[in-house]
Every structure is written in C-alpha cells, then in structure tokens.
Amino acid sequence: FDYQTHPLIAPKEGALNATQVKELVQYAQRYHVTLLPEQQAFGHLHHVLKNEIYQDIAELPHGHVLTPTKPESYQLVKDLYGELIPLFPGPYFHIGADETDELGRGQTKALADEIGLGSVYMEHLRKVAEIVKPYHKRLMFWGDIAVKYPELIKVLPKDVIAVPWGYGPRASFDAAIKPFKDAGLDVVVAP
C-alpha cells in the first residue's frame, strides 16, 4: 500500500493507492465479496525494517520482526492502520503476526528472558488489538506462533480471531485449533 505517512514502505510503481483500493472495494461489493486486508504488525516486515530510518524498531538490524519494546513500534502500526483500515468497510482486519523467529534474539532478549517469549508475543497482540479496536473491526492473526503457548492464549481479547494454518495434510488438525477454542476464541482455519 502506498502509505502517505511512511512513503518508503512501498515502491510507488508496485503499490496500491487509496483511490485504487476504494475502486477494488466497490468492484468487490458488486459481486457480494468483502475484501479482507492484511497488514503485518510483527513479522514479515523486512521491506520496512531494511530502511535505516526504521532500525530503532527492528528486533535485529535489518531484520524481519518489529520489536515490541519500543513505543515507536506501536506508533508505526497506528500510522499504517490509520491509513489502511478506513478504506475497507468489512468487519475484519488481519494483522499477520506470524514468522516471528527473530523475536527474543535482539532488542527483546532481556524482556523475553524475564517474562518469557510467549508472554512478550501475547502482550504485543493485545497492544495491537487495542490499536485496531477504535475501527470496530475484528482482529485476525495467524495462529502458528500463539499455538506454541496454549496456556497464555486466554490473555487475548475474546473478540480476536485465530487463523491456524498449515502447508500440508495431517491426520488431525486438532493441535492447531483446539487451544484457541479452549481459550474461547473464534477460529477461521486457513488451509
């Protein structure tokens, strides 16, 4: 997306602008389709964090993960979501939050050592949920990291939606779904 508050994030020639998003939303509505946007708020942020201007909020230098230890990280999320979320009238907004392998290996190491990696992760999800709340959207997140900490899932707001996923067939997907259901969360399974 062609963010006006953070123009370095996407190349102009390869990014949708607000006018184009509005056109897509209107087109989809004609066919009874609701577009569900996703803007990462944790992992998968290399193309943002590779820029020197964002180095203070990267877990590792030029890494892929946003550090949850800095208020500036949450200001970035607020800025991005403030531009993107209002363009989509649907009831959902996906924050990603998967592939956070760098978490606890850089700026968050001391905090993770103190309270545990799972607690750091869940607290970040809670903070991002607070950012999304004023937009009256149900926050969705990929479930592959949170499911590793089933005892902590219950701290998440009950209106968030876990999206467990997998790349291949298994005899059972209960281990990826049940911890979220046991914590009282809604689940949308992504094959």
Side-chain angles (χ1 to χ4, degrees):
F1 184 73
D2 183 18
Y3 290 105
Q4 300 305 294
T5 55
H6 294 273
L8 291 177
I9 288 179
K12 299 292 182 205
E13 66 278 359
L16 294 173
N17 62 40
T19 300
Q20 291 168 316
V21 168
K22 288 176 186 176
E23 289 172 4
L24 284 171
V25 167
Q26 289 174 351
Y27 179 81
Q29 286 174 333
R30 288 198 315 245
Y31 296 96
H32 309 285
V33 172
T34 299
L35 297 182
L36 192 157
E38 177 188 359
Q39 172 57 65
Q40 292 284 347
F42 216 170
H44 287 291
L45 288 172
H46 177 67
H47 291 294
V48 175
L49 301 174
K50 69 182 179 184
N51 295 296
E52 290 299 322
I53 192 170
Y54 298 110
Q55 284 310 288
D56 286 349
I57 59 174
E59 178 69 12
L60 294 172
H62 306 284
H64 296 87
V65 175
L66 189 70
T67 183
T69 60
K70 300 276 182 89
E72 296 84 2
S73 295
Y74 297 101
Q75 187 58 55
L76 173 68
V77 172
K78 284 179 187 175
D79 291 348
L80 301 184
Y81 288 4
E83 285 190 55
L84 190 62
I85 293 175
L87 299 175
F88 294 89
Y92 307 107
F93 185 76
H94 204 305
I95 68 161
D98 60 326
E99 299 196 17
T100 57
D101 297 335
E102 295 172 359
L103 188 64
R105 295 178 32 214
Q107 294 198 60
T108 311
K109 182 169 180 13
L111 182 61
D113 289 348
E114 179 185 335
I115 67 170
L117 200 53
S119 292
V120 170
Y121 182 86
M122 297 299 176
E123 184 57 26
H124 179 74
L125 288 187
R126 286 170 25 101
K127 287 180 179 177
V128 174
E130 284 300 311
I131 292 169
V132 173
K133 193 175 192 172
Y135 298 101
H136 307 289
K137 306 286 185 192
R138 292 209 49 205
L139 179 150
M140 301 177 83
F141 68 97
W142 297 119
D144 58 317
I145 305 298
V147 78
K148 296 175 184 177
Y149 309 100
E151 71 285 357
L152 299 175
I153 294 172
K154 64 184 176 291
V155 306
L156 295 176
K158 296 303 179 220
D159 62 338
V160 304
I161 301 170
V163 185
W165 61 274
Y167 283 126
R170 298 180 198 155
S172 170
F173 290 90
D174 287 349
I177 299 169
K178 190 173 181 316
F180 298 113
K181 293 305 294 176
D182 289 349
L185 300 184
D186 286 338
V187 174
V188 172
V189 177

